[in-house]
Amino acid sequence: MAQFDFVIVGAGSAGCVLANRLTACGKYSVLLLEAGGSDLNFWIWMPIGYGKTFYKRRVNWMYHTAPDPGLDDRIGYWPRGRVMGGSSSINAMVYIRGQQEDFEDWKAMGNPGWGWEDVLPYFKKSETNDRGGDAFRGGDGPVHVATMDRDLHPLCQTFIDAGRQVQLPHNPDFNGAAQEGIGTYQNTAKAGFRMSAARAHIGPAKGRRNLTIVKNALVTRVLLEGRKAVGVTYACRGRTHRAFAGREVILSAGAVNSPQLLQLSGIGPEGVLRSCGVEVVRHAPGVGRNLQDHLGIDFLYRSKVPTLNDQLHGWGGKLWHGMRYVLTRRGPLSLGVNQGGGFIRSRAGLSRPNMQLFFSPVSYTKAPPGKRPLMNPDPFSGFLTGAQPTRPTSRGWIEITSADPRDAPMIQPNSLSTDLDVQEMVEGMRFLRQLAAAPALADIIEAEIAPGDQVQSDAEFIADARARAGTVFHPVSTCRMGPDPTSDVVDARLRVHGMGQLRVVDASVFPTLTSGNTNAPTLMVGEKAADMILQDHATA
């Protein structure tokens, strides 16, 4: 019988942190189960390679949503990592913690210990900022955060100049004292390679005798004795296995798979479970509800000056930059696609930024909405700007569709379903127009390709958003942290309400979306959870 102190389901951002931290002292045995395989893949380690892994089933769940009424009933594409490192192995690598007020909001929602002063030490513990540590940044953590300035395209400075011309301050560090302003993004990278959670945390830990890692292991159910988790069943290479946890089962399978696994195990909305033939262990209405995601819109432009399109279009450019990357780890292939960006207030009267901006010196007019074939840009000079409201009020849901764990769950984002979300999307689009009219950008824009000059009124902007807007791949909150067992899923120590020896530790526990990309706060949740778990078992 396979017996461990802790069984962790999912080797994504949070799961890798837990596996490292819980085994470091040598006191506890840990089994880490990952549905995917190894991350030793060229397209994973090369930063811009995520344009390939976004569409590779070997490393990606490749989910699709239900038709989304707010997006003209379009079916969305949701890539999620199915590989060591999880989505940190296939994401765009932008490192953004969120605003200090985001975490004060978490605390105010009934989650003591999750305010800004509580989480800042774990953000710092998590990272090594290549600019050095200070009051806000870490200097000796496992996740390296890189400043990409030396390889950024020159148009990034044009973007920043345009921002200054519309009265946006330049912000050299979105993760410092304040988030507001315009600038360039840092990436989770080191020496020209992606810094995934697997590289940061499993690399140093995988040789420990008290850590067992099983890849290609699809967990099918949490084993329960009454309302206490005692282990899991999982399928691996055609066989069914059981693994038992003497202390805890920890779900770190992400915002899609953690609620799916709870529901498959009988913990979730009673009606959903019964309709799929799953025996109800605990009626937990919040499991799979409260789904939140960032929705973004791009404006595409034909440029009068050369862009990355000119460097990457055609085999000659690809070969040259491929050789440059292999030999030096430098150049555009060492970067993510979102090089510039910022955080703004889209209207007067707001106390803090409510909109994230993106700038990419490359364009893809033939790509379907939400998809960017990074190595196949347009055959002409072009670039794009983008905007996403940071704290949407629309709420969706995730539900199993059968008792078979191999069947993908139903994902309903329910995008743009509130008046405020529609209003802020229009505000973001109007700001992109304002930014494009600033002299720095206006001087280099030959034409607006999308949405095009014919889109002018609010109604036309709304119609364009419903036709083109898409996920920015930041789903959270489907196992929401909070004090109410009738609507929340885990408590402030991430223990599943009404269950014993069962926690959820990943982005699904976020009470609300953070203001920006979600990988950094997910790493923080893993760090904080590891400390809480070690504290809870210190005298047990």
Side-chain angles (χ1 to χ4, degrees):
M1 181 175 69
Q3 181 77 38
F4 302 87
D5 290 309
F6 299 100
V7 173
I8 301 169
V9 180
S13 294
C16 288
V17 175
L18 290 171
N20 180 14
R21 300 304 192 188
L22 296 183
T23 57
C25 66
K27 182 178 179 181
Y28 303 114
S29 59
V30 171
L31 172 64
L32 177 64
L33 298 170
E34 169 52 44
S38 170
D39 65 324
L40 296 178
N41 180 307
F42 176 76
W43 297 111
I44 288 176
W45 283 66
M46 184 178 76
I48 208 169
Y50 71 91
K52 298 285 188 181
T53 56
F54 258 35
Y55 312 106
K56 294 292 185 183
R57 190 166 295 279
R58 191 170 70 83
V59 298
N60 189 339
W61 290 99
M62 294 182 67
Y63 287 123
H64 291 82
T65 72
D68 194 339
L71 300 181
D72 291 346
D73 284 325
R74 287 185 286 129
I75 293 173
Y77 174 60
W78 277 31
R80 309 304 300 159
R82 184 178 183 172
V83 64
M84 292 297 295
S87 293
S88 76
S89 289
I90 67 168
N91 70 358
M93 301 176 297
V94 174
Y95 185 87
I96 295 290
R97 293 174 172 178
Q99 296 168 9
Q100 299 179 22
E101 295 90 341
D102 293 336
F103 305 100
E104 290 301 301
D105 291 344
W106 288 14
K107 182 172 69 173
M109 293 173 69
N111 297 296
W114 289 92
W116 173 245
E117 294 299 328
D118 302 303
V119 302
L120 176 59
Y122 293 103
F123 276 120
K124 295 179 67 175
K125 180 180 181 180
S126 174
E127 72 158 336
T128 290
N129 177 26
D130 70 355
R131 295 167 173 164
D134 58 26
F136 294 95
R137 305 301 300 271
D140 57 3
V143 177
H144 284 252
V145 181
T147 305
M148 314 306 294
D149 291 353
R150 67 178 186 172
D151 286 311
L152 295 178
H153 194 278
L155 283 184
C156 290
Q157 186 59 52
T158 306
F159 169 76
I160 293 171
D161 291 343
R164 284 171 164 162
Q165 289 165 351
V166 296
Q167 309 307 310
L168 296 182
H170 177 241
N171 189 339
D173 187 0
F174 298 127
N175 299 294
Q179 189 187 65
E180 191 165 12
I182 195 165
T184 55
Y185 288 122
Q186 288 186 302
N187 288 173
T188 45
K190 182 183 181 184
F193 289 121
R194 171 187 295 274
M195 177 56 71
S196 70
R199 182 185 178 193
H201 286 277
I202 301 303
K206 63 185 178 182
R208 296 173 186 161
R209 293 183 179 180
N210 58 334
L211 175 60
T212 301
I213 301 171
V214 181
K215 305 181 187 73
N216 301 300
L218 177 65
V219 176
T220 57
R221 187 178 179 89
V222 178
L223 294 172
L224 302 171
E225 290 182 356
R227 291 195 173 186
K228 182 175 76 170
V230 296
V232 300
T233 60
Y234 66 95
C236 185
R237 294 181 171 84
R239 296 182 60 187
T240 299
H241 305 262
R242 288 188 171 196
F244 293 90
R247 293 178 181 269
E248 290 188 22
V249 173
I250 306 168
L251 305 187
S252 295
V256 175
N257 297 104
S258 284
Q260 178 194 24
L261 187 53
L262 286 175
Q263 292 177 11
L264 290 169
S265 305
I267 305 165
E270 182 176 12
V272 173
L273 305 189
R274 293 196 187 281
S275 69
C276 294
V278 174
E279 180 183 353
V280 178
V281 175
R282 178 175 177 268
H283 173 51
V287 175
R289 309 302 291 189
N290 302 303
L291 172 63
Q292 302 168 49
D293 187 25
H294 284 137
L295 191 73
I297 188 76
D298 290 336
F299 277 37
L300 283 78
Y301 301 95
R302 187 182 288 266
S303 173
K304 297 177 183 177
V305 300
T307 70
L308 271 182
N309 291 13
D310 302 272
Q311 298 181 39
L312 296 177
H313 183 73
W315 286 108
K318 292 182 178 68
L319 181 61
W320 162 250
H321 286 291
M323 292 178 61
R324 182 186 179 193
Y325 175 75
V326 169
L327 294 173
T328 68
R329 304 294 185 269
R330 296 285 305 275
L333 304 190
S334 69
L335 306 173
V337 67
N338 293 312
Q339 296 186 12
F343 296 86
I344 67 165
R345 308 181 207 203
S346 66
R347 62 186 180 276
L350 295 175
S351 62
R352 54 181 167 136
N354 67 320
M355 194 74 57
Q356 184 172 7
L357 304 178
F358 297 97
F359 173 77
S360 179
V362 66
S363 67
Y364 321 91
T365 57
K366 295 183 179 179
K371 298 187 180 182
R372 297 181 179 180
L374 304 181
M375 299 296 288
N376 293 292
D378 290 322
F380 54 81
S381 302
F383 65 89
L384 64 85
T385 60
Q388 68 174 38
T390 55
R391 293 182 295 281
T393 54
S394 297
R395 299 291 182 265
W397 56 89
I398 290 176
E399 297 177 353
I400 56 172
T401 57
S402 79
D404 188 341
R406 294 167 183 80
D407 290 343
M410 188 274 286
I411 302 170
Q412 177 49 264
N414 204 30
S415 307
L416 295 179
S417 58
T418 68
D419 291 343
L420 179 59
D421 286 0
V422 173
Q423 172 191 337
E424 291 199 335
M425 183 61 73
V426 171
E427 291 172 353
M429 297 170 79
R430 287 202 175 279
F431 179 81
L432 293 181
R433 277 275 172 81
Q434 179 187 356
L435 189 65
L441 283 177
D443 286 349
I444 68 167
I445 292 174
E446 180 178 315
E448 180 184 287
I449 302 171
D453 292 340
Q454 75 281 2
V455 175
Q456 294 291 338
S457 69
D458 282 1
E460 288 166 340
F461 277 124
I462 293 169
D464 182 68
R466 294 196 189 282
R468 292 197 307 118
T471 175
V472 191
F473 316 113
H474 297 161
V476 302
S477 301
T478 48
C479 296
R480 187 177 66 184
M481 173 170 51
D484 186 352
T486 66
S487 58
D488 301 315
V489 179
V490 300
D491 65 15
R493 296 190 77 79
L494 308 186
R495 300 169 297 202
V496 175
H497 285 298
M499 304 298 298
Q501 297 185 183
L502 181 61
R503 293 192 210 225
V504 181
V505 181
D506 55 34
S508 72
V509 306
F510 287 19
T512 58
L513 259 172
T514 50
S515 300
N517 308 71
T518 51
N519 188 50
T522 303
L523 292 166
M524 176 276 292
V525 166
E527 292 282 10
K528 183 169 171 58
D531 261 12
M532 291 192 297
I533 293 166
L534 291 170
Q535 291 165 7
D536 289 350
H537 292 275
T539 58

